Amino acid sequence: MLARARIVVERRGARTVVRELRSQPPLTLLPQRGAVASRSPAATVHMLSSATTPLGGDDVGLEVVVGPGAHLVLTGVAATLALPGQGTSGPSRLVVRLTVGDGAAVQYLPEPTVVTRRADHRGELHAELGAGARLRCREVLVAGRTAEPSGRYLGLTRVVDTATGRPLLVQEQELGDPTLHASGAHLAGRRVLGTEVLVWGEDPPTGLAGEWWSLSPLAGRGSLATAVGTDAVTAGRGLAHAIAGHPGWAATTLTSAAP
Amino acid sequence: MASLAALTLADARFPGGGHVHSGGVEEAAARGLITGVPDLGSFLSGRLRTTGLVGAAFAAAAVVAAARPDAGWAVLDGELDARTPAAAQRDASRAQGRAALRAARLSWPSPVLDALCAVTPRPHHALLVGAVVGIDGGSPAEAARCLAYLAVSGPASAAVRLLGLDPLAVNAAIVALRPALDAVVAQAAQAAALSPDRLPAPGAPVLDLMAQAHVHHHREQVRLFVS
C-alpha cells in the first residue's frame, strides 16, 4: 500500500488547533475531541492502523507540521506488527517527518513495533526543531513475537536543530541478526529495545543509569533514554525510570498535574 | 604500502592513553556478560559492527577532509557527537583524541592538525586518527582499519587483564574477527567521500547504557578503567 498522511497544527490563543488533517489507510489519523480535548492546551491525535500494516511493499509517509508555539501529541493505539508481504514485495517502509516551529512542542508516541519472522521493515524519523522547540519521541522495538525469531528491521532517527543547523542525534538501529542481538555490546540477548528522545528544557548535567536503562545528555541539547528488556513491559518501565530523571520533563509533568 | 602513522597509532605502545579505556568490557564483565573468550568474541564483534563502524567511517572521512583546503572539521565533529549519544563515550573519545593529539603534534606537525585543534582542543579520537593518517599520506581504508582494529584490540587487552583470560586465545579471537573487520573497513572506506550527514550511525544500546553505569561505578566503587 502506498499512503501519505499529513497533519498541520497551529496555535490559536492559548490552544492548539488542527488546521489540516489528511490520512488514508493503512494509517488513519483521528483527532481527540470532546470536553477533555477542549480544555487541554495541546491537540491530541491518535494514529490508527486501518488496515494490516506494515506489510512487505507498504510505503507509508507521515508529515507533521507544528506551527510556532503549538503543542501536538501523536499517540499510537495498539502495537504494530511488521509482517512480510507476498512474493517479492520488498521491504515495508514508514517515513515520519516532524517539522517543529519556534517554541512549539511535539510528542510522538507510537505503541511498540513487533518485527515478526520474515518481515523486512524500514523506519525513518526526521525531526527539525526551531528555536526553543521541544520534542519527545518514543520508539519500542520488539524482536519477534514470543518464541519467534526476529525479522529484519533498519531504523534511522535524525534530529536537527534548524536554528543552528546542528544535528542533535543521528542513530540507526538494526534488528534481525541473531549474532548481533546476542552480543553484550548490542542487546545482550534481550528482545526489546526502547529509546526515547527528549528535547524538553533542562537536561541532566550528567547521565543517569539503572541496571538496564540509562539517560544521557546529548552533546547539543536534548537527552536520550535507552532501555532493553526481555519484554515490552520491562523495557517500557526502564524508559519511564529514565525520563523521570530528566529535569525538563519532570518540571512539565509536575506543572500539568496541578489542578 | 602501509601508512606508518596507521601502524603507530594502532600500536599498544603509542603514548596516546588508550590503555586506560576498556571500551565497556569492565562493565560487561562486572555484569557477567563476559566470562570467557567466546563471550568476549561476541562482545567484540557487536562492538566492531556498531561503535567500530562509526569510528572507522569518521576516520576515513577525516582522511578525505584533511586533503581539502577547507576540511570542515566542525561539521564532522558535530555529526560524530550526534552519533555518540552516551556522554561517557563522548568523554572517552575526546580524552583519547586529546592525548593522541599531544603525541601527534610532535611526530606529524601540520597545519591540518592546527585547523582541527582550532575547532576543538579535544578532538574525537577517530577524527584525530584520520587527520594524522591523511597527513602521512595514508588512505581512508588505512585509517578505517586502524580505528576498527583499535575498537576491538583495546577492549580485548582489557579483558585479559580483568578476567585473567589466556592472551593467546584472546589474540586468536581478535584474528577470527577478520571477515567482520574487512566488511567494516570496506563500508567505512566507501562512505568516506559521502556528505558527513550520510555517514553510518549504527547504535549499540547496551554499550551506551553500560557506559553511563560505568561512570557511576567508577566513582562509587573501585574500577580499573576510565571507560
Side-chain angles (χ1 to χ4, degrees), chain A residues 170-189:
Chain A
V170 183
Q171 197 167 52
E172 295 159 358
Q173 298 295 359
E174 179 184 346
L175 290 184
D177 180 340
T179 318
L180 195 58
H181 291 190
S183 171
H186 190 250
L187 286 187

Side-chain angles (χ1 to χ4, degrees), chain A:
Chain A
M1 267 180 171
L2 172 74
R4 295 289 176 264
R6 183 175 152 90
I7 175 164
V8 180
V9 299
E10 62 182 28
R11 183 170 170 142
R12 251 177 236 159
R15 296 188 47 230
T16 296
V17 295
V18 177
R19 209 187 70 200
E20 190 185 331
L21 188 74
R22 205 150 38 82
S23 64
Q24 61 193 127
L27 173 62
T28 299
L29 299 174
L30 208 64
Q32 189 180 61
R33 300 190 200 280
V36 176
S38 62
R39 277 202 299 274
S40 168
T44 297
V45 173
H46 301 294
M47 298 178 284
L48 268 87
S49 286
S50 45
T52 303
T53 194
L55 288 174
D58 279 359
D59 179 353
V60 178
L62 169 63
E63 197 185 342
V64 178
V65 180
V66 186
H71 186 170
L72 173 68
V73 183
L74 274 163
T75 62
V77 175
T80 299
L81 276 185
L83 296 159
Q86 282 185 327
T88 54
S89 48
S92 51
R93 188 180 296 275
L94 170 65
V95 178
V96 179
R97 284 182 197 281
L98 309 172
T99 308
V100 195
D102 294 354
V106 67
Q107 298 185 54
Y108 177 70
L109 307 169
E111 289 296 303
T113 298
V114 184
V115 186
T116 68
R117 191 158 67 114
R118 288 199 294 269
D120 186 4
H121 186 51
R122 311 290 155 90
E124 282 182 37
L125 181 101
H126 300 269
E128 294 188 351
L129 309 184
R134 291 174 298 164
L135 171 77
R136 178 185 176 209
C137 277
R138 184 172 65 201
E139 180 177 60
V140 177
L141 299 167
V142 184
R145 288 169 286 202
T146 307
E148 180 191 49
S150 176
R152 188 165 161 72
Y153 172 82
L154 284 175
L156 166 70
T157 300
R158 187 174 172 91
V159 181
V160 178
D161 190 332
T162 44
T164 58
R166 181 177 183 167
L168 300 178
L169 176 70
V170 183
Q171 197 167 52
E172 295 159 358
Q173 298 295 359
E174 179 184 346
L175 290 184
D177 180 340
T179 318
L180 195 58
H181 291 190
S183 171
H186 190 250
L187 286 187
R190 268 74 187 162
R191 257 177 72 233
V192 183
L193 165 62
T195 53
E196 195 159 328
V197 190
L198 269 178
V199 184
W200 207 278
E202 188 190 346
D203 292 300
T206 57
L208 309 169
E211 199 179 0
W212 293 108
W213 60 263
S214 67
L215 176 77
S216 176
L218 299 172
R221 61 186 173 113
S223 298
L224 179 71
T226 305
V228 297
T230 46
D231 54 63
V233 176
T234 314
R237 205 177 292 143
L239 283 183
H241 276 301
I243 71 163
H246 187 277
W249 178 250
T252 306
T253 44
L254 283 176
T255 318
S256 59

Side-chain angles (χ1 to χ4, degrees), chain B residues 77-124:
Chain B
D77 185 78
E79 291 285 345
L80 186 45
D81 257 352
R83 283 161 177 77
T84 319
Q89 283 181 342
R90 290 195 300 276
D91 279 351
S93 167
R94 290 189 184 279
Q96 283 192 73
R98 189 184 123 76
L101 176 66
R102 293 178 59 190
R105 291 192 104 166
L106 279 179
S107 307
W108 299 278
S110 158
V112 172
L113 285 185
D114 299 339
L116 174 59
C117 208
V119 168
T120 164
R122 296 177 79 230
H124 278 293

Side-chain angles (χ1 to χ4, degrees), chain B residues 52-71:
Chain B
L53 173 58
V54 174
F58 276 80
V63 174
V64 175
R68 284 198 209 111
D70 174 21

Side-chain angles (χ1 to χ4, degrees), chain B residues 76-182:
Chain B
L76 281 171
D77 185 78
E79 291 285 345
L80 186 45
D81 257 352
R83 283 161 177 77
T84 319
Q89 283 181 342
R90 290 195 300 276
D91 279 351
S93 167
R94 290 189 184 279
Q96 283 192 73
R98 189 184 123 76
L101 176 66
R102 293 178 59 190
R105 291 192 104 166
L106 279 179
S107 307
W108 299 278
S110 158
V112 172
L113 285 185
D114 299 339
L116 174 59
C117 208
V119 168
T120 164
R122 296 177 79 230
H124 278 293
H125 187 230
L127 296 183
L128 186 274
V129 166
V132 169
V133 171
I135 292 164
D136 191 48
S139 67
E142 281 172 306
R145 184 167 294 276
C146 175
L147 232 292
Y149 176 74
L150 284 170
V152 292
S153 66
S157 143
V160 170
R161 281 181 277 169
L162 285 162
L163 296 166
L165 301 179
D166 172 9
L168 305 184
V170 168
N171 195 66
I174 296 179
V175 173
L177 293 170
R178 171 89 193 249
L181 191 77
D182 287 347

